[in-house]
Amino acid sequence: MMTDKRIMDKDKYELTIEETSFVEDVRNIISTANLMIVVSNWLVGRRIVLQEQKGKYRAEYGKRIISIASQELTKSFGKGYGETTLKNYRKFYKQFSNFQIRQPLLAKSDAEVFELRPQLSWMHYERLMRVDDKQARVWYMNAAADNQWSYRTLGRNISTQYYYRLMQTPPNLQKKVIDEMVDKTKAFQKDKFDFIKNPVVAEFLGLPQN
């Protein structure tokens, strides 16, 4: 009876030591997979940019490179590598190209990993790329990681100009702005791992699409 009650009332039950360990393992798996996806997308964007720079007529050559990559990657890995997606990866690299390169990503590979905020998913970075102001973009990135914002919270804060409103508010009144933001994003913060519903993440982890 106790087990049934705990399953039905999942928001109130207490985890056993074994269950706590299980949940932590799952979190670590998802976080690692998430970071690998972000790194992969950055590296693809970097490779596209490097290839484009070899073209004499960069605009036209850039279109050709994106088209070729999209067609060939789709043949190899299936859907998920449309031209729009690859352009997004390219933009990701261009906007975050100054990440510090620290160590090889894989043994016997020239691929390099960069210092990223592991708390952020690819869906976080998709939203960050919509911020043209570099200073604001970096602030949102760090704030999202430090405060464990879900990607929905981040998206809401970007769309409501939270950074600018906070910066324009006198220090003694900033708490009111922060408290308002926290209250408005409570629903978004209930499931911080909602990004697992992303088909790309699910496919990476080998999970069924349903």
Side-chain angles (χ1 to χ4, degrees):
M1 293 299 293
M2 183 61 179
T3 302
D4 292 340
K5 182 178 180 180
R6 285 170 59 184
I7 293 175
M8 293 174 63
D9 196 9
K10 62 180 181 180
D11 293 329
K12 297 181 179 179
Y13 66 68
E14 294 182 4
L15 298 177
T16 65
I17 294 177
E18 182 179 353
E19 289 168 340
T20 299
S21 176
F22 158 72
V23 171
E24 189 60 30
D25 284 346
V26 172
R27 284 198 181 107
N28 289 336
I29 291 170
I30 293 174
S31 295
T32 300
N34 160 62
L35 183 59
M36 292 293 285
I37 289 172
V38 173
V39 170
S40 173
N41 294 348
W42 187 89
L43 289 172
V44 171
R46 176 175 180 268
R47 188 63 183 87
I48 290 173
V49 170
L50 292 177
Q51 188 65 29
E52 286 179 337
Q53 291 173 349
K54 295 180 179 180
K56 184 175 181 180
Y57 303 99
R58 293 185 181 179
E60 290 303 315
Y61 188 62
K63 292 180 182 178
R64 173 175 167 76
I65 290 304
I66 291 290
S67 179
I68 290 174
S70 177
Q71 292 179 35
E72 294 304 314
L73 289 174
T74 299
K75 288 179 183 178
S76 299
F77 304 108
K79 61 182 180 180
Y81 293 94
E83 293 187 17
T84 299
T85 297
L86 295 181
K87 289 178 182 177
N88 221 19
Y89 294 168
R90 178 179 62 187
K91 182 178 180 181
F92 179 42
Y93 170 73
K94 286 184 174 180
Q95 288 193 343
F96 294 93
S97 60
N98 61 339
F99 277 127
Q100 183 179 2
I101 305 297
R102 302 199 61 176
Q103 61 185 15
L105 175 62
L106 298 172
K108 300 180 180 180
S109 170
D110 61 356
E112 294 175 306
V113 69
F114 47 95
E115 188 176 6
L116 278 176
R117 303 304 301 266
Q119 302 92 336
L120 304 183
S121 69
W122 171 241
M123 297 177 78
H124 284 89
Y125 284 103
E126 284 185 314
R127 282 148 182 78
L128 288 169
M129 285 189 287
R130 302 171 189 174
V131 181
D132 294 328
D133 183 339
K134 182 178 180 181
Q135 184 173 339
R137 186 166 62 242
V138 173
W139 185 92
Y140 279 122
M141 179 183 71
N142 291 326
D146 293 341
N147 297 287
Q148 297 187 353
W149 289 347
S150 71
Y151 71 89
R152 295 179 188 274
T153 295
L154 174 60
R156 183 266 178 193
N157 289 343
I158 290 174
S159 66
T160 59
Q161 303 287 300
Y162 176 63
Y163 165 75
Y164 298 106
R165 289 190 293 113
L166 193 61
M167 294 300 104
Q168 294 170 5
T169 302
N172 61 314
L173 298 178
Q174 287 184 353
K175 187 178 184 302
K176 183 177 180 180
V177 178
I178 295 172
D179 289 344
E180 178 191 24
M181 181 278 292
V182 171
D183 182 65
K184 296 290 186 181
T185 59
K186 281 182 180 178
F188 299 150
Q189 289 295 103
K190 287 183 179 179
D191 188 359
K192 296 177 183 178
F193 291 92
D194 194 50
F195 71 85
I196 195 63
K197 297 176 184 177
N198 184 328
V200 176
V201 179
E203 183 175 355
F204 184 88
L205 293 176
L207 302 175
Q209 293 297 321
N210 60 354

